[in-house]
């Protein structure tokens, strides 16, 4: 295995390559010829266009078959950008690129110097040399995001007179119900004073798969009979949301009818007004026998560490507001309780369960002790399915047992965990501690 430095290169074996960059990033590839330019927009592999001859993107992984690239292609440039386009790379964990062979053995690894204010980074290139292929580390930053990189390589990015959308919107394939619906959606958001959302290919693929599954079974549901939920599909397509909302609808036949139906109910129109949502995926499927039309829309904001920190702080602030209303002292955040709470939320998502008792029988006080907490008393609230800090705290306050924990005078400290995925979409944990 070669540990690459900027400018360093390494020969690659014949066969398929797996290229991974895990973390809160979008991975893209630009396929070019000897002149360094793409032959057309089809040479840009990214979340809205995940395949090209010889290349396929699946979440944080690109599978590359160099000898299957289009004729004349001799270079594949690998690019990362923040999944949240408002976050500079310097505020995220440093990206690390790994190149593996078709047996899964690690061939090369590149950890570039930490970026700062850049919003896109040319990580590496796989290029033809003689009769073989090599990988070269780059580490060059861009200040104008993925769209700027694409333009420099010759991708045609159309200008848009509407307010600037996240980089996920460019370029997007024309046509189709999702794109027609996007225009209607963003017009409604503009009327509500919310910024436009952008179509995301991963969310669109998950939404389309879920719509097809509902059509096949003739039933509206967040979960298919085989136990696969919409949120399982979102995770499988490589999108990790921080904030998420969804519409599951049957009946409307056109994109405009679908949007009008969603806007017609107070419980359905919320995502059209929410400025925190950045991305949208829409799927549509016809029932094979009934002719009914099934729609799935997924709205999301991608996960970032800063976003999680703000969300957790919001839960704590709302919890302390409830305590203040009851004339109780506020709870102080505790990093050990936070670690225990986050681990439990992550575990519930990762192992697809919902309980205070873990699969091995561990209880809240066991998890707190394992995280290093030494509080005299431990309490825990969990919740799933609530979509915001306001909703989950209100849900806990409306439940006598959870309310008792929030308003227990003996508790002095708190930790909050939050994770998305699995069957319910969101999993929340509060861990309370009493001073020793």
């Amino acid at each position: 295995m070669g540990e690459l430095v900027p400018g360093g290169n390494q020969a690659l074996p014949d066969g398929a390559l797996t290229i991974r960059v895990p973390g809160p990033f979008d991975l893209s590839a630009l396929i070019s010829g000897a002149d360094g330019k793409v032959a057309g927009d089809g040479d840009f592999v990214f979340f809205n266009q995940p395949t090209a001859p010889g290349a396929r993107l699946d979440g944080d992984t690109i599978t590359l078959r160099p000898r299957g690239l289009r004729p004349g292609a001799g270079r594949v440039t690998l690019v990362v950008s923040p999944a949240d386009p408002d976050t500079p790379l310097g505020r995220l964990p440093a990206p690390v690129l790994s190149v593996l062979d078709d047996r899964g053995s690690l061939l090369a690894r590149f950890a570039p110097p930490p970026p700062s204010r850049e919003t896109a980074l040319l990580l590496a290139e796989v290029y033809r040399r003689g009769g073989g292929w090599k990988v070269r580390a780059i580490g060059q930053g861009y200040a104008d995001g993925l769209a700027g990189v694409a333009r420099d390589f010759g991708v045609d990015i159309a200008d848009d007179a509407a307010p600037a959308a996240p980089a996920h919107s460019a370029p997007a394939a024309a046509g189709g119900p999702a794109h027609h619906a996007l225009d209607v959606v963003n017009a409604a958001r503009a009327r509500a004073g919310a910024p436009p959302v952008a179509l995301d290919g991963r969310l669109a693929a998950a939404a389309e798969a879920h719509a097809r599954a509902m059509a096949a079974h003739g039933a509206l549901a967040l979960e298919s009979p085989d136990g696969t939920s919409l949120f399982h599909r979102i995770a499988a397509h490589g999108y990790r949301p921080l904030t998420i909302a969804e519409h599951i609808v049957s009946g409307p036949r056109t994109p405009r009818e679908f949007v009008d139906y969603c806007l017609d109910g107070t419980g359905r129109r919320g995502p059209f007004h929410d400025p925190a949502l950045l991305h949208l995926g829409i799927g549509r499927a016809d029932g094979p026998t009934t002719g009914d039309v099934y729609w799935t829309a997924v709205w999301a904001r991608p996960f970032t560490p800063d976003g999680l920190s703000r969300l957790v702080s919001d839960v704590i602030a709302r919890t302390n507001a409830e305590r203040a209303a009851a004339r109780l002292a506020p709870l102080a955040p505790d990093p050990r309780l936070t670690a225990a709470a986050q681990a439990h939320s992550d575990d519930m998502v990762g192992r697809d369960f919902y309980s205070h008792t873990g699969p091995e029988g561990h209880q809240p006080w066991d998890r707190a002790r394992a995280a290093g907490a030494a509080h005299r008393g431990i309490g825990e609230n969990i919740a799933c399915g609530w979509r915001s800090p306001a909703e989950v705290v209100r849900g806990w306050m409306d439940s006598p047992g959870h309310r008792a924990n929030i308003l227990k005078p003996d508790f002095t400290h708190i930790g909050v965990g939050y994770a998305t995925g699995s069957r319910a979409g969101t999993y929340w944990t509060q861990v309370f501690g009493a001073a020793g």
Side-chain angles (χ1 to χ4, degrees):
M1 188 272 287
E3 191 78 30
L4 299 176
V5 297
N9 64 79
Q10 181 174 318
L12 297 171
D14 246 356
L17 303 169
T18 298
I19 299 164
R20 293 194 66 232
V21 184
F25 309 109
D26 285 329
L27 179 61
S28 310
L30 290 140
I31 301 165
S32 57
D35 61 355
K37 298 292 185 181
V38 300
D41 292 354
D43 280 348
F44 187 18
V45 176
F46 71 124
F47 34 80
N48 270 356
Q49 186 170 268
T51 60
R56 179 177 182 83
L57 172 65
D58 187 5
D60 63 4
T61 301
I62 287 179
T63 303
L64 186 63
R65 293 176 173 80
R67 298 193 183 279
L69 296 172
R70 63 162 176 82
R75 189 180 308 271
V76 179
T77 304
L78 303 159
V79 185
V80 291
S81 54
D84 178 353
D86 294 330
T87 303
L89 286 168
R91 295 175 63 187
L92 301 177
V96 178
L97 176 140
S98 299
V99 183
L100 300 91
D101 65 16
D102 55 7
R103 295 170 297 179
S105 298
L106 186 61
L107 299 171
R109 181 179 178 274
F110 177 48
S116 55
R117 299 184 63 82
E118 294 91 340
T119 52
L121 189 67
L122 304 188
L123 266 183
E125 59 185 9
V126 175
Y127 62 101
R128 190 194 308 273
R129 177 54 57 90
W133 292 80
K134 303 181 79 171
V135 59
R136 175 165 41 228
I138 302 175
Q140 175 188 343
Y142 268 69
D144 50 353
L146 185 58
V149 176
R151 286 190 189 96
D152 281 2
F153 277 76
V155 177
D156 183 18
I157 307 286
D159 290 332
D160 192 341
H168 286 202
S169 65
H179 288 268
H180 295 313
L182 180 66
D183 293 337
V184 185
V185 165
N186 280 334
R189 285 176 66 86
R191 290 193 297 272
V197 290
L199 288 179
D200 183 280
R202 298 160 297 182
L203 294 179
E208 186 72 21
H210 195 73
R212 288 199 304 267
M214 290 193 298
H217 295 99
L220 284 176
L222 279 172
E223 186 176 323
S224 300
D226 65 358
T228 302
S229 77
L230 170 61
F231 311 107
H232 288 132
R233 293 186 169 97
I234 292 168
H237 283 88
Y239 192 103
R240 184 183 180 190
L242 178 73
T243 304
I244 192 163
E246 70 286 334
H247 287 105
I248 305 294
V249 172
S250 70
R253 307 201 68 82
T254 68
R256 182 169 292 278
E257 288 176 1
F258 165 73
V259 172
D260 287 346
Y261 171 80
C262 293
L263 289 171
D264 195 38
T266 55
R268 297 188 295 267
R269 69 170 66 108
F272 291 86
H273 299 171
D274 188 348
L277 297 167
L278 298 179
H279 299 147
L280 176 66
I282 299 179
R284 179 191 186 279
D286 296 330
T289 55
T290 63
D292 293 337
V293 180
Y294 292 83
W295 295 84
T296 301
V298 183
W299 309 71
R301 183 182 188 92
F303 174 88
T304 64
D306 284 352
L308 176 61
S309 178
R310 288 192 296 270
L311 184 146
V312 164
S313 295
D314 193 358
V315 172
I316 294 174
R318 291 175 183 276
T319 299
N320 280 332
E322 297 293 347
R323 288 178 65 89
R327 300 181 182 276
L328 295 170
L331 302 171
D334 184 287
R336 297 159 298 183
L337 297 180
T338 298
Q342 188 60 49
H344 192 52
S345 287
D346 289 339
D347 196 26
M348 287 191 289
V349 168
R351 294 199 281 178
D352 216 2
F353 75 96
Y354 178 65
S355 174
H356 292 287
T357 304
E360 293 81 18
H362 295 156
Q363 299 292 334
W365 43 88
D366 299 319
R367 294 188 288 270
R369 185 169 54 249
H375 295 81
R376 176 170 51 84
I378 294 292
E380 183 180 83
N381 286 344
I382 59 174
C384 67
W386 300 111
R387 295 296 187 250
S388 71
E391 287 182 2
V392 73
V393 173
R394 177 47 46 200
W396 280 326
M397 288 299 292
D398 288 342
S399 166
H402 298 96
R403 178 187 178 93
N405 272 340
I406 288 174
L407 300 183
K408 187 170 182 176
D410 290 349
F411 286 147
T412 55
H413 293 82
I414 188 173
V416 174
Y418 170 77
T420 58
S422 194
R423 296 172 188 271
T426 60
Y427 290 77
W428 308 79
T429 304
Q430 287 179 315
V431 180
F432 304 90

